[in-house]
Amino acid sequence: MPKYSGSGNRSERRSSARPARERLLDEVVAHFARHGVGDFSLRGLAAELGTSHRMLIYHFGSKDGLLVEVVRRVEAEQRAAMAQLNLDSDHSAAHLAREFHRRLSAADHWPARLFFELTGQALVGNPHAVPLLDGIVDAWLPPLTELSRRTGRSEDEARAHARLALAVARGLLFDLLATGDRDAVDEAAEAFLRSYESAGPSGP
């Protein structure tokens, strides 16, 4: 994962009209980006944020519920970054995919660790984590399908390739967390990314 910067300067980027729950989640994500997750308590986190643990419980239900919402927020912001790459760049799909891999596999991995931990809990039916499964694949398909269309694939092929690309990206992140072998992971990613180019020219 990239060195996650959280919400940045929230006074400039986010309107005070945003719901209180969303503003509080902004603060939590930014705090974790600066300090990591670690073994925190709701009371300690609330004190750091200048709020109360009762407010955290009111908005998120529990510590586990809060962590699920943190992962969902980070995933949403990563999807937005992927969509923005699609919109802003004239580069080929392979170039954009390499750039996104670079961002996702950068030095700070706390969102990835949290994602895999909570996904495992969701898959065995832990009630607090099950909401994480909602859209865990489907929400990623539109931006990744758009990326795959740049290779000249048909709509059906692009959608299938998008699902494959998501599986590979998550598998490589898991590999990186488990082994720490960045060179091997980057080599495997490059081998896969060359498949974007196999359909022929797709731009500069």
Side-chain angles (χ1 to χ4, degrees):
M1 288 280 178
K3 181 67 177 177
Y4 195 78
S5 60
S7 300
N9 188 333
R10 292 171 298 282
S11 65
E12 295 178 0
R13 296 188 180 190
R14 301 187 184 275
S15 167
S16 61
R18 282 168 58 79
R21 182 180 186 276
E22 294 303 301
R23 296 199 306 271
L24 187 54
L25 187 57
D26 293 343
E27 297 283 348
V28 172
V29 172
H31 177 82
F32 287 160
R34 291 191 299 269
H35 304 292
V37 178
D39 186 21
F40 74 97
S41 69
L42 286 183
R43 287 184 183 275
L45 178 62
E48 291 284 343
L49 299 180
T51 186
S52 71
H53 77 286
R54 291 187 179 185
M55 287 301 294
L56 292 175
I57 291 171
Y58 174 77
H59 286 297
F60 305 107
S62 66
K63 175 179 176 178
D64 291 328
L66 172 62
L67 289 175
V68 167
E69 291 307 310
V70 167
V71 170
R72 294 178 75 175
R73 165 63 67 80
V74 172
E75 285 264 294
E77 294 191 357
Q78 288 170 344
R79 287 193 299 272
M82 179 79 264
Q84 198 62 46
L85 279 176
N86 283 331
L87 288 173
D88 288 350
S89 178
D90 292 328
H91 289 293
S92 69
H95 176 91
L96 297 184
R98 288 184 179 95
E99 171 63 16
F100 201 61
H101 169 72
R102 184 191 64 78
R103 295 185 186 188
L104 290 180
S105 61
D108 190 351
H109 300 302
W110 71 263
R113 291 191 182 96
L114 191 56
F115 172 85
F116 288 120
E117 177 182 347
L118 292 176
T119 300
Q121 294 177 25
L123 291 174
V124 298
N126 286 358
H128 68 269
V130 166
L132 185 59
L133 298 179
D134 183 21
I136 199 171
V137 172
D138 289 346
W140 275 97
L141 295 183
L144 290 172
T145 299
E146 176 60 28
L147 183 66
S148 191
R149 285 194 195 103
R150 289 172 176 255
T151 66
R153 290 177 169 87
S154 69
E155 180 68 25
D156 288 346
E157 289 174 330
R159 189 170 178 83
H161 197 272
R163 188 177 291 265
L164 174 61
L166 178 61
V168 170
R170 284 177 170 161
L172 289 175
L173 280 175
F174 184 85
D175 185 330
L176 184 58
L177 291 174
T179 68
D181 193 341
R182 176 172 298 279
D183 289 342
V185 167
D186 286 348
E187 183 178 354
E190 181 61 27
F192 176 73
L193 291 174
R194 283 195 293 269
S195 69
Y196 274 97
E197 300 166 314
S198 64
S202 54

